[in-house]
Amino acid sequence: MFEGFASAEVDTGEARIFIRRAGSGPGLLLLHGFPETHLMWRDVAPKLADRFSVVCADLRGYGKSSCPPSSPDHAPYAKRAVAADLAALMTKLGFSRFMVAGHDRGGRVAYRLALDRPDRVEKLAVLDIIATADAWDRADARLALGYWPWSLLAQPEPLPETIMAAAADAIVDNALESWGSSPAAFPAEARQAYADALRDPAHAHAICEEYRAAATLDRGHDHADRAAGRRIACPVLALWSGHGALAEWYAQEGGPLALWREWADNVSGGAMPGGHFFPEEASAETAAALRAFFQAK
């Protein structure tokens, strides 16, 4: 996997971020979701590296990146803190401005980065998410049962950490097989890497802190931005699973595009083949959609 990509660990001041990078041209940062690592981009990133300087990063607390100490309010794992890591990362790599795509949790980091640092982000792609506050404000039994990490991993420690570290393989298998994607999309090597990261107690705690931050601080940051009239300044591409939750749950609101247009003026996108993990399941289609958006003038 990632043939031709160089790996590195970059000190951003508060964390050490593991990356793989290749290519030349404009900077393009790719961010993963739960329970994945940067390996989710293994088939997408090489298809983009002929046009962009592609950087695939493990978020703080995930994969091979470090797990900074947390605090009672979970602030070190709020998307604002995680986004600051990545702004520092891209500065160290020589990119004053760059483009970013994020799937799932990575999408939440990506749009927070665009809101907090509009001077840095040229274009933004969010994959299979709506904004955190929008999701929590509309949460019902479907979210609680269908995407159980939102409620389970946000519970006080140590219960969710204990469950995750003790049952890492079962958690990965449940997520990859229950959220609409074909199990064949995930090779054994990727599954093992995902489970190994969850099994580590430090990473298990960090990931739970990220979910706790999402239920509290991240939601509050979104509400504060909305109250202040703060919007995403750059063009936004929203992609989602054609037969997943976003296509069904938010139809009354006009679907994902309508919800993202409450956050940005320039929003395009549409449904993709596959389930929640469509970047792994439909990598060619995902790469083509990202390439067309990011290279458009």
Side-chain angles (χ1 to χ4, degrees):
M1 291 189 285
F2 285 101
E3 184 178 353
F5 278 67
S7 61
E9 190 175 84
V10 180
D11 187 344
T12 64
E14 293 188 2
R16 297 186 312 280
I17 303 300
F18 180 84
I19 66 167
R20 293 187 194 267
R21 64 179 301 194
S24 59
L28 174 56
L29 177 63
L30 302 180
L31 304 176
H32 65 86
F34 175 89
E36 302 150 305
T37 71
H38 75 280
L39 291 177
M40 68 159 284
W41 298 109
R42 62 191 175 273
D43 296 323
V44 172
K47 295 179 173 68
L48 300 173
D50 66 328
R51 177 65 179 80
F52 306 98
S53 295
V54 178
V55 178
C56 303
D58 283 341
L59 305 175
R60 72 160 61 180
Y62 281 83
K64 295 182 179 180
S65 289
S66 68
C67 304
S70 194
S71 62
D73 66 353
H74 323 300
Y77 289 91
K79 304 304 176 295
R80 177 159 286 161
V82 182
D85 281 340
L86 300 168
L89 166 71
M90 295 304 278
T91 296
K92 289 208 165 189
L93 295 180
F95 300 103
S96 59
R97 286 176 61 78
F98 54 92
M99 298 172 284
V100 57
H103 173 256
D104 188 78
R105 314 309 287 181
R108 304 186 186 287
V109 176
Y111 85 78
R112 174 48 54 193
L113 180 57
L115 282 166
D116 286 356
R117 297 302 306 270
D119 58 316
R120 303 294 306 279
V121 179
E122 293 184 358
K123 290 186 177 182
L124 165 69
V126 287
L127 279 57
D128 217 40
I129 67 163
I130 61 172
T132 303
D134 291 343
W136 271 115
D137 293 351
R138 292 167 172 80
D140 56 18
R142 296 174 302 181
L143 181 68
L145 295 174
Y147 288 99
W148 49 265
W150 283 67
S151 51
L152 174 60
L153 301 187
Q155 295 299 312
E157 63 176 308
L159 178 63
E161 284 92 338
T162 302
I163 293 172
M164 187 151 59
D169 291 300
I171 285 174
V172 168
D173 288 346
N174 178 273
L176 300 187
E177 296 174 9
S178 300
W179 295 346
S181 292
S182 169
F186 312 99
E189 182 180 354
R191 282 179 180 257
Q192 188 64 50
Y194 298 160
D196 286 346
L198 302 189
R199 193 175 289 112
D200 175 71
H203 283 83
H205 177 60
I207 292 168
C208 291
E209 285 292 279
E210 185 261 300
Y211 273 88
R212 293 176 186 124
T216 53
L217 291 175
D218 294 345
R219 187 179 182 185
H221 293 156
D222 281 1
H223 283 150
D225 283 339
R226 177 160 284 164
R230 193 172 297 112
R231 295 170 65 78
I232 297 169
C234 66
V236 177
L237 175 71
L239 303 174
W240 61 91
S241 165
H243 57 260
L246 268 66
E248 176 186 352
W249 293 357
Y250 307 110
Q252 185 173 349
E253 290 90 339
L257 287 182
L259 290 171
W260 280 112
R261 284 170 180 154
E262 295 180 4
W263 287 97
D265 294 330
N266 186 350
V267 180
S268 60
M272 299 291 290
H276 175 63
F277 299 102
F278 63 80
E280 295 186 73
E281 191 176 10
S283 60
E285 295 88 342
T286 302
L290 294 177
R291 185 186 186 93
F293 172 67
F294 287 125
Q295 72 181 12
K297 299 300 184 181

